[in-house]
Amino acid sequence: MASISNEPEREHRDEEESGANEDEDTGAQVAPIVRLEEVAVTTGEEDEDTILDLKSKLYRFDKDGSQWKERGAGTVKFLKHKDTGKIRLVMRQSKTLKICANHLVTSGMTVQEHAGNDKSCVWHARDFSDGELKDELFCIRFASVENCKAFMQKFKEVAESEEEKEESKDASDTAGLLEKLTVEEKVTEEKKVEKPVEKVASASAEKAVEEKKSEESVPST
């Protein structure tokens, strides 16, 4: 009798185990309630190559309050345009991706270590991060001295490269101007040489006409 009374319990356990196994792997596919489509996000950096990329924190000097104010923590980059070769500095906040620095690195720009902190450096720039050009004094702080030195080195290399390009362009423009002046002087000299020849030819023709008229006016004997 005991064996008979235990049989339903065993069958019930078998059903529970079977049901549990079926719940674990039913093979059913549940469609998502909302379908999210991939959206192409443009950053404006698609036509540029990154030549330096470092984590940092940026500050700007507030002239009115005479104090440094934080602009954001994120990634600072040097970006080189694939067509023009121009290089700009761009920094975005890590969470919002909001731009907190955006300016070209041009000839004559300098960067120097911030007094009393070898992990920070400062520089002046004509910044466009707020949608209009502003003269800004920036200070940037890195996690290590090595990163700060790498940033300063790249900054100086770019500025010096832009200065060399300008000098090369000026030399080329000067050479072109001198060549143009030389050609113009040569043409002017050629014209000056041609004018006396024309006058001589004209005078000779006039003299020949007068002589012919004189011969015709002499009475025959």
Side-chain angles (χ1 to χ4, degrees):
M1 296 292 292
S3 62
I4 295 174
S5 62
N6 289 336
E7 189 67 23
E9 293 181 3
R10 189 179 70 180
E11 290 178 356
H12 183 64
R13 278 199 309 272
D14 292 341
E15 289 176 358
E16 287 181 344
E17 291 175 359
S18 175
N21 292 334
E22 289 177 359
D23 290 340
E24 290 176 1
D25 185 13
T26 61
Q29 294 183 354
V30 180
I33 298 175
V34 179
R35 294 189 62 183
L36 299 178
E37 297 182 358
E38 292 186 3
V39 178
V41 179
T42 58
T43 62
E45 302 173 9
E46 289 74 20
D47 294 329
E48 297 168 299
D49 293 323
T50 302
I51 58 178
L52 188 70
D53 184 340
L54 295 169
K55 297 289 185 182
S56 56
K57 183 175 286 188
L58 184 70
Y59 302 83
R60 61 174 288 272
F61 188 73
D62 180 18
K63 297 177 182 177
D64 296 331
S66 297
Q67 61 181 339
W68 290 102
K69 288 190 174 182
E70 184 177 333
R71 289 282 285 178
T75 301
V76 63
K77 299 179 182 179
F78 285 105
L79 301 173
K80 183 175 182 179
H81 198 277
K82 296 176 182 178
D83 295 330
T84 64
K86 293 289 185 180
I87 298 176
R88 64 174 176 144
L89 181 151
V90 175
M91 182 169 174
R92 296 178 183 271
Q93 295 179 4
S94 57
K95 295 181 179 179
T96 64
L97 297 183
K98 180 182 177 181
I99 294 177
C100 48
N102 179 22
H103 64 79
L104 288 172
V105 181
T106 58
S107 170
M109 292 182 68
T110 59
V111 61
Q112 59 186 10
E113 184 179 301
H114 187 44
N117 192 337
D118 55 2
K119 295 180 182 179
S120 303
C121 55
V122 296
W123 73 96
H124 285 275
R126 294 273 288 166
D127 185 66
F128 196 72
S129 57
D130 293 330
E132 59 179 337
L133 284 175
K134 292 181 181 179
D135 290 321
E136 297 282 10
L137 174 60
F138 287 121
C139 175
I140 195 167
R141 188 176 69 196
F142 298 93
S144 66
V145 176
E146 290 74 19
N147 283 354
C148 185
K149 288 182 177 179
F151 175 85
M152 292 178 64
Q153 180 64 31
K154 182 57 65 177
F155 195 114
K156 292 175 181 178
E157 287 177 3
V158 174
E160 290 172 359
S161 174
E162 290 299 315
E163 187 172 356
E164 290 174 359
K165 288 179 182 178
E166 287 188 4
E167 291 177 352
S168 177
K169 185 178 182 300
D170 291 342
S172 178
D173 291 345
T174 302
L177 179 60
L178 291 174
E179 183 178 358
K180 183 179 179 182
L181 291 173
T182 303
V183 172
E184 289 177 351
E185 289 176 356
K186 185 176 180 182
V187 171
T188 303
E189 290 177 358
E190 289 177 352
K191 288 182 178 179
K192 288 181 179 179
V193 172
E194 290 174 357
K195 287 182 179 179
V197 173
E198 291 176 357
K199 289 182 178 180
V200 171
S202 178
S204 300
E206 290 176 359
K207 185 177 181 181
V209 171
E210 290 178 358
E211 289 178 351
K212 186 175 182 181
K213 287 182 179 180
S214 176
E215 291 176 355
E216 291 175 353
S217 62
V218 176
S220 58
T221 53

Coordinates of all heavy atoms in Angstrom, one line a residue, residues 137-220:
L137 N 42.0 82.1 -22.2 CA 43.2 81.6 -21.6 C 42.8 80.2 -21.0 O 42.0 80.2 -20.1 CB 43.7 82.5 -20.5 CG 44.9 82.0 -19.7 CD1 46.1 81.7 -20.6 CD2 45.3 83.0 -18.6
F138 N 43.4 79.1 -21.5 CA 43.0 77.8 -21.1 C 44.1 77.2 -20.2 O 45.3 77.5 -20.3 CB 42.8 76.9 -22.3 CG 41.6 77.1 -23.0 CD1 41.6 77.4 -24.4 CD2 40.3 77.0 -22.4 CE1 40.5 77.6 -25.1 CE2 39.2 77.2 -23.2 CZ 39.2 77.5 -24.5
C139 N 43.7 76.4 -19.3 CA 44.6 75.6 -18.5 C 44.1 74.1 -18.5 O 42.9 73.9 -18.3 CB 44.6 76.1 -17.0 SG 45.6 75.0 -15.9
I140 N 44.9 73.2 -18.8 CA 44.5 71.8 -18.9 C 45.4 70.9 -17.9 O 46.6 71.2 -17.8 CB 44.7 71.3 -20.3 CG1 43.9 70.0 -20.5 CG2 46.1 71.2 -20.8 CD1 43.7 69.6 -22.0
R141 N 44.7 70.0 -17.3 CA 45.4 69.2 -16.3 C 45.3 67.7 -16.6 O 44.2 67.2 -17.0 CB 44.8 69.4 -14.9 CG 45.6 68.7 -13.8 CD 45.1 69.1 -12.4 NE 43.8 68.5 -12.2 CZ 42.9 68.9 -11.3 NH1 43.2 69.9 -10.5 NH2 41.7 68.3 -11.1
F142 N 46.4 67.0 -16.6 CA 46.4 65.6 -16.9 C 46.7 64.7 -15.7 O 47.1 65.2 -14.6 CB 47.5 65.3 -18.0 CG 47.3 66.0 -19.3 CD1 47.8 67.3 -19.5 CD2 46.5 65.5 -20.3 CE1 47.6 68.0 -20.7 CE2 46.3 66.1 -21.5 CZ 46.8 67.4 -21.7
A143 N 46.5 63.4 -15.9 CA 46.7 62.5 -14.7 C 48.2 62.2 -14.5 O 48.5 61.8 -13.4 CB 46.0 61.2 -15.0
S144 N 49.0 62.5 -15.5 CA 50.4 62.2 -15.3 C 51.3 63.3 -15.9 O 50.8 64.0 -16.8 CB 50.8 60.9 -15.9 OG 50.6 60.9 -17.3
V145 N 52.5 63.4 -15.5 CA 53.5 64.3 -16.1 C 53.8 64.0 -17.5 O 53.9 64.8 -18.4 CB 54.8 64.3 -15.2 CG1 55.8 65.2 -15.9 CG2 54.5 64.8 -13.8
E146 N 53.8 62.7 -17.8 CA 54.1 62.2 -19.2 C 53.1 62.7 -20.2 O 53.4 63.1 -21.3 CB 54.2 60.7 -19.2 CG 55.4 60.1 -18.4 CD 55.3 60.1 -16.9 OE1 54.2 60.3 -16.4 OE2 56.4 60.1 -16.2
N147 N 51.8 62.6 -19.8 CA 50.7 63.0 -20.7 C 50.8 64.5 -20.9 O 50.5 65.0 -22.0 CB 49.4 62.6 -20.1 CG 49.1 61.2 -20.3 OD1 49.8 60.4 -20.9 ND2 47.9 60.7 -19.7
C148 N 51.1 65.2 -19.9 CA 51.2 66.7 -20.0 C 52.4 67.1 -21.0 O 52.2 67.9 -21.8 CB 51.5 67.3 -18.6 SG 51.5 69.2 -18.7
K149 N 53.5 66.4 -20.8 CA 54.6 66.6 -21.7 C 54.3 66.2 -23.2 O 54.7 66.9 -24.1 CB 55.9 65.9 -21.2 CG 56.5 66.4 -19.9 CD 57.7 65.6 -19.5 CE 58.4 66.2 -18.3 NZ 59.6 65.5 -17.9
A150 N 53.6 65.1 -23.3 CA 53.2 64.7 -24.7 C 52.3 65.7 -25.3 O 52.4 66.0 -26.5 CB 52.5 63.3 -24.6
F151 N 51.4 66.3 -24.6 CA 50.5 67.3 -25.1 C 51.2 68.6 -25.5 O 51.1 69.1 -26.6 CB 49.4 67.7 -24.0 CG 48.5 68.8 -24.4 CD1 47.4 68.6 -25.2 CD2 48.8 70.1 -24.0 CE1 46.6 69.6 -25.5 CE2 48.0 71.2 -24.3 CZ 46.9 70.9 -25.1
M152 N 52.1 69.0 -24.6 CA 52.9 70.2 -24.9 C 53.8 70.1 -26.1 O 53.9 71.0 -27.0 CB 53.7 70.6 -23.7 CG 52.9 71.1 -22.5 SD 53.9 71.5 -21.0 CE 54.8 72.9 -21.6
Q153 N 54.4 68.9 -26.2 CA 55.3 68.6 -27.3 C 54.5 68.6 -28.7 O 55.0 69.2 -29.6 CB 56.0 67.2 -27.2 CG 56.9 66.8 -28.3 CD 58.1 67.7 -28.4 OE1 58.6 68.3 -27.3 NE2 58.7 67.9 -29.6
K154 N 53.4 68.0 -28.7 CA 52.6 68.0 -29.9 C 52.1 69.4 -30.3 O 52.1 69.8 -31.4 CB 51.4 67.0 -29.8 CG 50.5 66.9 -31.0 CD 51.4 66.4 -32.2 CE 51.9 65.0 -32.0 NZ 52.6 64.5 -33.2
F155 N 51.7 70.1 -29.3 CA 51.2 71.5 -29.5 C 52.3 72.3 -30.1 O 52.0 73.0 -31.1 CB 50.8 72.1 -28.1 CG 50.0 73.3 -28.2 CD1 48.7 73.3 -27.8 CD2 50.5 74.5 -28.7 CE1 47.9 74.5 -27.8 CE2 49.7 75.7 -28.8 CZ 48.4 75.7 -28.3
K156 N 53.5 72.2 -29.6 CA 54.6 73.0 -30.1 C 55.0 72.6 -31.5 O 55.3 73.4 -32.4 CB 55.9 72.9 -29.2 CG 55.7 73.5 -27.9 CD 56.9 73.3 -26.9 CE 56.7 73.9 -25.6 NZ 57.8 73.6 -24.7
E157 N 55.0 71.3 -31.8 CA 55.3 70.8 -33.1 C 54.3 71.3 -34.2 O 54.7 71.7 -35.3 CB 55.2 69.2 -33.1 CG 56.4 68.5 -32.4 CD 56.2 67.0 -32.4 OE1 55.2 66.5 -33.0 OE2 57.1 66.4 -31.8
V158 N 53.0 71.3 -33.8 CA 52.0 71.8 -34.8 C 52.2 73.3 -35.0 O 52.1 73.7 -36.2 CB 50.6 71.5 -34.2 CG1 49.5 72.1 -35.1 CG2 50.3 70.0 -34.1
A159 N 52.4 74.1 -34.0 CA 52.6 75.5 -34.2 C 53.8 75.8 -35.0 O 53.8 76.7 -35.9 CB 52.7 76.2 -32.8
E160 N 54.9 75.1 -34.7 CA 56.1 75.3 -35.5 C 55.9 74.9 -37.0 O 56.4 75.6 -37.9 CB 57.3 74.6 -34.9 CG 57.7 75.1 -33.6 CD 58.7 74.2 -32.9 OE1 59.1 73.2 -33.4 OE2 59.2 74.6 -31.8
S161 N 55.2 73.8 -37.2 CA 54.9 73.4 -38.6 C 54.1 74.4 -39.3 O 54.4 74.7 -40.5 CB 54.1 72.0 -38.5 OG 53.8 71.6 -39.8
E162 N 53.1 75.0 -38.7 CA 52.3 76.0 -39.3 C 53.1 77.3 -39.6 O 52.9 77.9 -40.7 CB 51.1 76.4 -38.4 CG 50.1 75.4 -38.3 CD 49.4 75.0 -39.6 OE1 49.1 75.9 -40.3 OE2 49.3 73.8 -39.9
E163 N 54.1 77.6 -38.8 CA 55.0 78.7 -39.0 C 55.9 78.5 -40.2 O 56.1 79.4 -41.1 CB 55.8 79.0 -37.8 CG 56.7 80.3 -37.9 CD 57.3 80.6 -36.6 OE1 57.1 79.9 -35.6 OE2 58.1 81.6 -36.6
E164 N 56.4 77.2 -40.3 CA 57.2 76.9 -41.5 C 56.4 76.9 -42.8 O 56.9 77.4 -43.8 CB 57.8 75.5 -41.3 CG 58.8 75.4 -40.2 CD 59.3 74.0 -39.9 OE1 58.8 73.1 -40.6 OE2 60.2 73.8 -39.1
K165 N 55.1 76.5 -42.7 CA 54.3 76.6 -43.9 C 54.1 78.0 -44.4 O 54.1 78.3 -45.6 CB 52.9 75.9 -43.6 CG 53.0 74.4 -43.5 CD 51.6 73.9 -43.2 CE 51.6 72.4 -43.0 NZ 50.2 71.8 -42.6
E166 N 53.9 78.9 -43.4 CA 53.7 80.3 -43.7 C 54.9 80.9 -44.3 O 54.8 81.7 -45.3 CB 53.2 81.1 -42.5 CG 51.8 80.8 -42.0 CD 51.4 81.7 -40.9 OE1 52.2 82.6 -40.5 OE2 50.3 81.6 -40.4
E167 N 56.1 80.6 -43.8 CA 57.3 81.1 -44.3 C 57.6 80.6 -45.7 O 58.0 81.3 -46.6 CB 58.5 80.7 -43.4 CG 58.5 81.4 -42.0 CD 59.6 80.9 -41.1 OE1 60.3 79.9 -41.5 OE2 59.8 81.5 -40.0
S168 N 57.3 79.3 -45.9 CA 57.4 78.8 -47.3 C 56.5 79.4 -48.3 O 56.8 79.7 -49.4 CB 57.1 77.2 -47.2 OG 57.2 76.7 -48.5
K169 N 55.2 79.7 -47.8 CA 54.3 80.4 -48.7 C 54.7 81.8 -49.0 O 54.6 82.2 -50.2 CB 52.9 80.4 -48.0 CG 51.8 80.9 -48.9 CD 50.4 80.9 -48.2 CE 49.3 81.4 -49.1 NZ 49.5 82.8 -49.5
D170 N 55.2 82.5 -48.0 CA 55.7 83.9 -48.2 C 56.8 83.9 -49.2 O 56.9 84.7 -50.1 CB 56.1 84.5 -46.9 CG 54.9 84.8 -46.0 OD1 53.8 84.8 -46.5 OD2 55.2 84.9 -44.8
A171 N 57.8 82.9 -49.1 CA 58.9 82.8 -50.0 C 58.4 82.5 -51.4 O 58.9 83.1 -52.4 CB 59.9 81.7 -49.5
S172 N 57.5 81.6 -51.5 CA 56.9 81.3 -52.8 C 56.2 82.5 -53.5 O 56.4 82.8 -54.6 CB 56.0 80.1 -52.7 OG 55.4 79.8 -53.9
D173 N 55.4 83.2 -52.7 CA 54.7 84.4 -53.2 C 55.7 85.5 -53.6 O 55.5 86.1 -54.6 CB 53.8 85.0 -52.1 CG 52.6 84.0 -51.8 OD1 52.4 83.1 -52.6 OD2 52.0 84.2 -50.8
T174 N 56.8 85.6 -52.8 CA 57.8 86.6 -53.2 C 58.5 86.3 -54.5 O 58.8 87.1 -55.3 CB 58.9 86.7 -52.0 OG1 58.2 87.1 -50.8 CG2 59.9 87.8 -52.3
A175 N 58.9 85.0 -54.6 CA 59.5 84.5 -55.8 C 58.6 84.7 -57.0 O 59.1 85.2 -58.1 CB 59.9 83.0 -55.7
G176 N 57.3 84.4 -56.9 CA 56.4 84.6 -58.0 C 56.2 86.1 -58.3 O 56.2 86.4 -59.5
L177 N 56.3 87.0 -57.3 CA 56.2 88.4 -57.6 C 57.4 88.9 -58.3 O 57.3 89.7 -59.3 CB 56.0 89.2 -56.3 CG 55.9 90.7 -56.3 CD1 54.7 91.1 -57.2 CD2 55.8 91.3 -54.9
L178 N 58.6 88.5 -57.9 CA 59.8 88.9 -58.5 C 59.8 88.4 -60.0 O 60.3 89.1 -60.9 CB 61.0 88.3 -57.8 CG 61.3 89.0 -56.4 CD1 62.4 88.2 -55.7 CD2 61.6 90.4 -56.5
E179 N 59.4 87.2 -60.2 CA 59.4 86.6 -61.6 C 58.4 87.4 -62.4 O 58.7 87.7 -63.6 CB 58.9 85.2 -61.5 CG 58.9 84.5 -62.9 CD 58.5 83.0 -62.8 OE1 58.3 82.6 -61.7 OE2 58.5 82.4 -63.9
K180 N 57.3 87.8 -61.9 CA 56.3 88.6 -62.6 C 56.9 90.0 -63.0 O 56.7 90.5 -64.1 CB 55.0 88.8 -61.8 CG 53.9 89.6 -62.5 CD 52.7 89.7 -61.6 CE 51.6 90.5 -62.4 NZ 50.4 90.6 -61.5
L181 N 57.6 90.6 -62.0 CA 58.2 91.9 -62.3 C 59.3 91.8 -63.3 O 59.4 92.7 -64.2 CB 58.8 92.5 -61.0 CG 57.7 92.9 -59.9 CD1 58.5 93.3 -58.6 CD2 56.9 94.1 -60.4
T182 N 60.0 90.7 -63.3 CA 61.1 90.5 -64.3 C 60.5 90.4 -65.7 O 61.1 91.0 -66.6 CB 61.9 89.3 -63.9 OG1 62.5 89.4 -62.6 CG2 63.1 89.1 -64.9
V183 N 59.5 89.7 -65.8 CA 58.8 89.5 -67.1 C 58.3 90.8 -67.6 O 58.4 91.1 -68.8 CB 57.7 88.4 -67.0 CG1 56.9 88.4 -68.3 CG2 58.3 87.1 -66.7
E184 N 57.6 91.6 -66.7 CA 57.1 92.9 -67.1 C 58.1 93.8 -67.6 O 58.0 94.6 -68.5 CB 56.2 93.4 -66.0 CG 55.0 92.7 -65.7 CD 54.2 93.3 -64.5 OE1 54.8 94.1 -63.8 OE2 53.1 92.8 -64.3
E185 N 59.3 93.8 -66.9 CA 60.4 94.7 -67.2 C 60.9 94.3 -68.6 O 61.3 95.2 -69.4 CB 61.5 94.7 -66.2 CG 61.1 95.3 -64.9 CD 62.1 95.1 -63.8 OE1 63.1 94.4 -64.1 OE2 62.0 95.7 -62.7
K186 N 61.0 93.0 -68.9 CA 61.6 92.5 -70.1 C 60.7 92.9 -71.3 O 61.1 93.4 -72.3 CB 61.7 91.0 -70.1 CG 62.3 90.4 -71.3 CD 62.5 88.9 -71.1 CE 63.2 88.3 -72.4 NZ 63.3 86.8 -72.2
V187 N 59.3 92.8 -71.1 CA 58.4 93.2 -72.1 C 58.5 94.7 -72.4 O 58.4 95.2 -73.5 CB 56.9 92.8 -71.7 CG1 55.9 93.4 -72.6 CG2 56.8 91.3 -71.6
T188 N 58.6 95.5 -71.3 CA 58.7 97.0 -71.4 C 59.9 97.3 -72.2 O 59.9 98.2 -73.1 CB 58.7 97.6 -70.0 OG1 57.6 97.2 -69.3 CG2 58.8 99.1 -70.1
E189 N 61.1 96.7 -71.9 CA 62.3 97.0 -72.7 C 62.2 96.6 -74.1 O 62.7 97.4 -75.0 CB 63.5 96.2 -72.0 CG 63.9 96.7 -70.6 CD 64.9 95.8 -70.0 OE1 65.3 94.9 -70.7 OE2 65.4 96.2 -68.9
E190 N 61.5 95.5 -74.4 CA 61.3 95.1 -75.8 C 60.5 96.2 -76.6 O 60.8 96.5 -77.7 CB 60.6 93.8 -75.9 CG 61.6 92.6 -75.5 CD 60.9 91.3 -75.5 OE1 59.6 91.3 -75.7 OE2 61.5 90.2 -75.3
K191 N 59.5 96.7 -75.9 CA 58.6 97.7 -76.5 C 59.4 99.0 -76.8 O 59.3 99.6 -77.8 CB 57.4 98.0 -75.6 CG 56.4 96.9 -75.6 CD 55.2 97.3 -74.8 CE 54.2 96.2 -74.8 NZ 53.0 96.5 -73.9
K192 N 60.3 99.4 -75.8 CA 61.1 100.6 -76.0 C 62.1 100.4 -77.2 O 62.4 101.4 -77.9 CB 62.0 100.8 -74.7 CG 61.1 101.3 -73.6 CD 62.0 101.6 -72.4 CE 61.1 102.1 -71.2 NZ 62.0 102.3 -70.0
V193 N 62.6 99.2 -77.4 CA 63.5 99.0 -78.5 C 62.7 99.0 -79.9 O 63.3 99.5 -80.9 CB 64.2 97.6 -78.4 CG1 65.0 97.2 -79.6 CG2 65.1 97.6 -77.2
E194 N 61.5 98.6 -79.9 CA 60.7 98.5 -81.1 C 60.3 99.9 -81.6 O 60.3 100.2 -82.8 CB 59.5 97.7 -80.9 CG 59.8 96.2 -80.8 CD 58.6 95.4 -80.4 OE1 57.5 96.0 -80.3 OE2 58.7 94.2 -80.3
K195 N 60.1 100.9 -80.7 CA 59.6 102.2 -81.1 C 60.6 103.0 -82.0 O 60.2 103.5 -83.0 CB 59.2 103.0 -79.9 CG 57.9 102.5 -79.2 CD 57.6 103.4 -78.0 CE 56.3 102.9 -77.4 NZ 55.9 103.7 -76.2
P196 N 61.9 103.1 -81.7 CA 62.8 103.8 -82.5 C 62.9 103.2 -83.9 O 63.0 103.9 -84.9 CB 64.2 103.6 -81.8 CG 63.8 103.4 -80.4 CD 62.5 102.6 -80.4
V197 N 62.8 101.9 -84.1 CA 62.8 101.2 -85.4 C 61.6 101.7 -86.2 O 61.8 102.0 -87.4 CB 62.8 99.7 -85.2 CG1 62.6 99.0 -86.5 CG2 64.0 99.2 -84.5
E198 N 60.5 101.8 -85.5 CA 59.3 102.2 -86.3 C 59.4 103.7 -86.7 O 59.1 104.0 -87.9 CB 58.0 102.1 -85.4 CG 57.7 100.7 -85.0 CD 56.5 100.6 -84.1 OE1 56.1 101.7 -83.6 OE2 56.1 99.5 -83.8
K199 N 60.0 104.5 -85.9 CA 60.2 105.9 -86.3 C 61.2 106.0 -87.4 O 61.0 106.8 -88.3 CB 60.8 106.7 -85.1 CG 59.7 106.9 -84.0 CD 60.3 107.7 -82.8 CE 59.2 108.0 -81.8 NZ 59.7 108.8 -80.7
V200 N 62.3 105.3 -87.4 CA 63.3 105.3 -88.5 C 62.6 104.9 -89.8 O 62.8 105.5 -90.8 CB 64.5 104.4 -88.1 CG1 65.4 104.3 -89.4 CG2 65.2 105.0 -87.0
A201 N 61.8 103.8 -89.7 CA 61.2 103.3 -90.9 C 60.2 104.3 -91.5 O 60.1 104.6 -92.7 CB 60.5 102.0 -90.6
S202 N 59.5 105.0 -90.6 CA 58.5 106.0 -91.0 C 59.2 107.2 -91.6 O 58.8 107.8 -92.7 CB 57.7 106.5 -89.8 OG 56.8 107.5 -90.1
A203 N 60.4 107.6 -91.0 CA 61.1 108.8 -91.6 C 61.7 108.5 -92.9 O 61.7 109.3 -93.8 CB 62.2 109.2 -90.6
S204 N 62.2 107.2 -93.1 CA 62.7 106.8 -94.4 C 61.7 106.9 -95.5 O 61.9 107.3 -96.6 CB 63.3 105.4 -94.3 OG 64.4 105.4 -93.3
A205 N 60.5 106.4 -95.1 CA 59.4 106.4 -96.1 C 59.0 107.8 -96.5 O 58.8 108.1 -97.7 CB 58.2 105.7 -95.5
E206 N 58.9 108.7 -95.5 CA 58.5 110.1 -95.8 C 59.6 110.7 -96.7 O 59.3 111.5 -97.6 CB 58.4 110.9 -94.5 CG 57.2 110.5 -93.7 CD 57.1 111.2 -92.4 OE1 58.0 112.0 -92.1 OE2 56.2 111.0 -91.6
K207 N 60.9 110.5 -96.4 CA 61.9 111.0 -97.2 C 61.9 110.6 -98.7 O 62.1 111.3 -99.6 CB 63.3 110.7 -96.6 CG 64.5 111.3 -97.3 CD 65.8 111.0 -96.6 CE 66.9 111.7 -97.3 NZ 68.2 111.3 -96.6
A208 N 61.5 109.3 -98.8 CA 61.5 108.7 -100.2 C 60.3 109.4 -101.0 O 60.4 109.7 -102.2 CB 61.2 107.2 -100.1
V209 N 59.2 109.6 -100.3 CA 58.1 110.3 -101.0 C 58.4 111.7 -101.4 O 58.1 112.2 -102.5 CB 56.9 110.3 -100.0 CG1 55.7 111.1 -100.6 CG2 56.4 108.9 -99.8
E210 N 59.1 112.4 -100.5 CA 59.5 113.8 -100.8 C 60.5 113.8 -102.0 O 60.4 114.7 -102.9 CB 60.1 114.5 -99.6 CG 59.1 114.7 -98.5 CD 59.8 115.3 -97.3 OE1 61.0 115.5 -97.3 OE2 59.1 115.6 -96.3
E211 N 61.4 112.9 -102.0 CA 62.4 112.9 -103.1 C 61.7 112.6 -104.5 O 62.0 113.2 -105.5 CB 63.4 111.8 -102.9 CG 64.4 112.2 -101.7 CD 65.4 111.1 -101.5 OE1 65.3 110.0 -102.1 OE2 66.3 111.4 -100.7
K212 N 60.7 111.7 -104.4 CA 59.9 111.4 -105.6 C 59.2 112.6 -106.1 O 59.1 112.9 -107.3 CB 59.0 110.2 -105.3 CG 58.3 109.7 -106.6 CD 57.4 108.5 -106.3 CE 56.8 108.0 -107.5 NZ 56.0 106.8 -107.3
K213 N 58.5 113.3 -105.2 CA 57.8 114.5 -105.6 C 58.7 115.6 -106.1 O 58.4 116.3 -107.1 CB 57.1 115.1 -104.3 CG 55.9 114.3 -103.9 CD 55.2 114.9 -102.7 CE 54.0 114.2 -102.2 NZ 53.4 114.8 -101.1
S214 N 59.9 115.7 -105.6 CA 60.9 116.7 -106.0 C 61.3 116.3 -107.5 O 61.5 117.2 -108.3 CB 62.1 116.7 -105.1 OG 63.1 117.6 -105.6
E215 N 61.5 115.1 -107.8 CA 61.9 114.7 -109.1 C 60.8 114.9 -110.1 O 61.1 115.4 -111.2 CB 62.2 113.2 -109.1 CG 63.5 112.8 -108.3 CD 63.8 111.3 -108.3 OE1 62.9 110.6 -108.7 OE2 64.8 110.9 -107.7
E216 N 59.6 114.7 -109.7 CA 58.5 115.0 -110.6 C 58.3 116.4 -110.9 O 57.8 116.8 -112.0 CB 57.2 114.3 -110.0 CG 57.2 112.8 -110.0 CD 56.0 112.3 -109.3 OE1 55.2 113.1 -108.7 OE2 55.8 111.1 -109.3
S217 N 58.6 117.3 -109.9 CA 58.4 118.7 -110.1 C 59.5 119.4 -110.9 O 59.4 120.6 -111.3 CB 58.3 119.4 -108.7 OG 59.5 119.2 -108.0
V218 N 60.6 118.7 -111.2 CA 61.7 119.3 -112.0 C 61.3 119.4 -113.5 O 60.9 118.4 -114.0 CB 63.0 118.5 -111.9 CG1 64.1 119.0 -112.8 CG2 63.5 118.5 -110.4
P219 N 61.3 120.6 -114.1 CA 60.9 120.7 -115.5 C 61.8 120.0 -116.5 O 63.0 120.0 -116.2 CB 60.9 122.2 -115.8 CG 61.8 122.8 -114.7 CD 61.7 121.9 -113.5
S220 N 61.2 119.4 -117.5 CA 62.1 118.7 -118.4 C 62.7 119.7 -119.4 O 62.0 120.7 -119.8 CB 61.2 117.7 -119.2 OG 60.2 118.3 -119.8

